[in-house]
Amino acid sequence: MSRTTWSNVDAERLEISDGNTAVCVKQGGAAAAFGDPILASGRHSWTIKIAASFEASGDGMLIGVAEAAEDGKGKCWGLYPLTGQVYTSTNGGLTLGASTKAKPVAAPLRGGAAAGALVRVTADLDRHTLAFAVNDGSEVDSGVTLPSAVRPYALLCFEGDVLQFVET
């Protein structure tokens, strides 16, 4: 897989830095970030570090994948670090409120545990599966059936929140 970077963000609320590997909330309010490359076959993994989080809780964040829809309004699936559950958003990934809970895949990152946490996302486009691992935990299948093409995705809400792609 080529280098994973952030490429499509709400420039009013989000800022990309560090060679397009970090995305930061510069103005509060829900905003979606989409990454490259678009994935249509094979098994791909990348790791995102929660570099900064509101009260170090992971609240207001989703980390996962988005359907590679031309209009940007496709479904999105992401791990909510605060609860360890995967949510499915049907409105282009802009809110948790428009989401439906899926099964838990990780222990909740409460009590300041989100700051510095590493979330590994694995999208298998041959099998159409999505899995997550947090820190040194085992990879857990989310039960999500992926569409034919996806891209990295994150939802951020609170000013100062930072997510960064890291090499592992």
Side-chain angles (χ1 to χ4, degrees):
M1 183 170 100
S2 61
R3 185 170 174 246
T4 309
T5 59
W6 298 112
S7 61
N8 183 359
V9 302
D10 177 346
E12 206 173 290
R13 290 198 169 99
L14 301 176
E15 179 176 54
I16 298 174
S17 63
D18 291 337
N20 296 345
T21 63
V23 62
C24 174
V25 179
K26 61 183 182 179
Q27 177 183 332
F34 300 94
D36 283 328
I38 291 175
L39 310 168
S41 65
R43 186 176 195 273
H44 307 274
S45 294
W46 58 92
T47 301
I48 294 179
K49 178 180 181 179
I50 302 174
S53 168
F54 177 71
E55 296 181 354
S57 67
D59 190 17
M61 290 182 172
L62 290 179
I63 298 168
V65 298
E67 182 176 15
E70 287 184 32
D71 64 1
K73 303 267 187 218
K75 285 186 178 180
C76 301
W77 299 269
L79 174 70
Y80 184 35
L82 182 67
T83 65
Q85 293 177 302
V86 173
Y87 284 72
T88 302
S89 178
T90 57
N91 67 346
L94 292 178
T95 62
L96 286 174
S99 303
T100 305
K101 288 182 189 178
K103 73 178 194 176
V105 296
L109 295 176
R110 295 192 177 124
L118 299 175
V119 177
R120 190 174 69 246
V121 181
T122 301
D124 187 329
L125 280 298
D126 296 333
R127 295 178 48 220
H128 299 280
T129 59
L130 176 65
F132 295 91
V134 176
N135 294 324
D136 292 327
S138 298
E139 191 172 272
V140 178
D141 183 78
S142 66
V144 168
T145 301
L146 293 177
S148 59
V150 298
R151 65 192 311 176
Y153 154 79
L155 170 73
L156 300 102
C157 293
F158 296 106
E159 193 170 323
D161 284 356
V162 179
L163 296 176
Q164 182 161 19
F165 291 112
V166 294
E167 300 292 325
T168 55

